[in-house]
Amino acid sequence: MDEPHPLLAYFMDAADDRFPPVDGRVTVLPPLPGGLECSVAFTGHAVVATAMTEEAVHARGPDGFGESLSADFLRHLAGPTGWIDVTDATLTARGTGGPPRLAELTDADDHPRVRHARWLRTGVQVHGDERGLVTVADGLAGRRELSIELHRTQHSGRGYGRSLLSDALSLVPEGEPVFAAVAPGNARSLRAFLACGFTPIGSEVLLRPERRRQPAPASGPLTRGDQVSSA
């Protein structure tokens, strides 16, 4: 069995309220599988997973107080034409387990969210109902990730997102950490996750550097952040 990526320990510790020291430093780890790299910011400490040497990373002067997510530093990591995802807030909660409250979907392979999830993650499972669609997968550094999307935007503000998200937590075993990345500007989505017990632990950006370029799916990556829901 392959060893877990060392970044996973940072996420699992954060889910238990154990964080890196607030020292302004940047920890450099090996790149992620599948040609992905990332920059993750916790309070006062950053973690960068990259194929670059530590010397090359630190040559651009990143720090743990926000500079590790600056546009200039991310472009340095990705190279001139590498793909850089949006900056997302990193949230975590615990699965509720019990009987799954959402049915598995077998006819959603062409849905943009499903294609995007399979471009970035492994073991993608798709569930949903008349309210919307949920993906549960092994994501960044192997953590369990959840995302949702409503079928109809006019349902925004009616509580559909929160009820769907609450039901989605039943797909994760009771007490097991689950993570979501939510664009901070998507206020409805962020409020829905917070209302359902998710806690912010940091922020993150995924990258596919040009030195490890892989073609995007026909629809391209979602430019509004991956985990998007409507409250």
Side-chain angles (χ1 to χ4, degrees):
M1 180 179 295
D2 294 335
E3 291 292 324
H5 192 278
L7 179 58
L8 180 61
Y10 285 84
F11 289 127
M12 300 303 285
D13 283 348
D16 288 328
D17 290 325
R18 297 192 303 269
F19 293 92
V22 183
D23 55 12
R25 296 184 177 181
V26 177
T27 297
V28 180
L29 299 177
L32 302 162
L36 286 172
E37 300 189 4
C38 69
S39 183
V40 179
F42 298 101
T43 299
H45 194 98
V47 182
V48 176
T50 178
M52 282 187 170
T53 65
E54 287 196 39
E55 181 180 14
V57 171
H58 290 294
R60 294 303 294 257
D63 60 39
F65 298 122
E67 190 62 30
S68 65
L69 295 180
S70 71
D72 287 344
F73 178 68
L74 294 175
R75 180 50 63 196
H76 171 63
L77 289 179
T81 60
W83 172 72
I84 303 175
D85 201 3
V86 299
T87 300
D88 283 327
T90 310
L91 311 177
T92 188
R94 301 279 175 172
T96 57
R101 298 200 292 270
L102 293 171
E104 187 170 3
L105 302 180
T106 59
D107 58 352
D109 289 347
D110 289 334
H111 192 284
R113 177 162 302 282
V114 176
R115 293 202 305 268
H116 185 69
R118 287 177 175 158
W119 187 54
L120 293 174
R121 306 184 180 97
T122 60
V124 178
Q125 297 178 346
V126 186
H127 298 258
D129 57 19
E130 69 281 357
R131 293 168 296 178
L133 178 145
V134 172
T135 67
V136 180
D138 296 326
L140 180 55
R143 70 188 185 187
R144 181 68 63 87
E145 293 183 0
L146 183 152
S147 71
I148 75 171
E149 182 168 300
L150 296 182
H151 290 319
R152 300 175 181 84
T153 57
Q154 62 265 35
H155 287 165
S156 299
R158 298 183 182 180
Y160 283 62
R162 298 183 188 190
S163 64
L164 182 62
L165 182 53
S166 179
D167 287 345
L169 289 173
S170 72
L171 305 174
V172 181
E174 183 178 3
E176 181 176 310
V178 62
F179 299 85
V182 181
N186 191 346
R188 282 181 176 156
S189 178
L190 192 56
R191 290 199 303 267
F193 277 87
L194 295 176
C196 290
F198 279 79
T199 301
I201 58 172
S203 54
E204 63 189 55
V205 176
L206 279 170
L207 311 98
R208 282 191 191 275
E210 63 171 341
R211 59 183 174 274
R212 291 171 169 263
R213 288 176 67 187
Q214 295 188 13
S219 62
L222 298 179
T223 58
R224 56 194 171 93
D226 189 28
Q227 271 68 25
V228 179
S229 71
S230 299

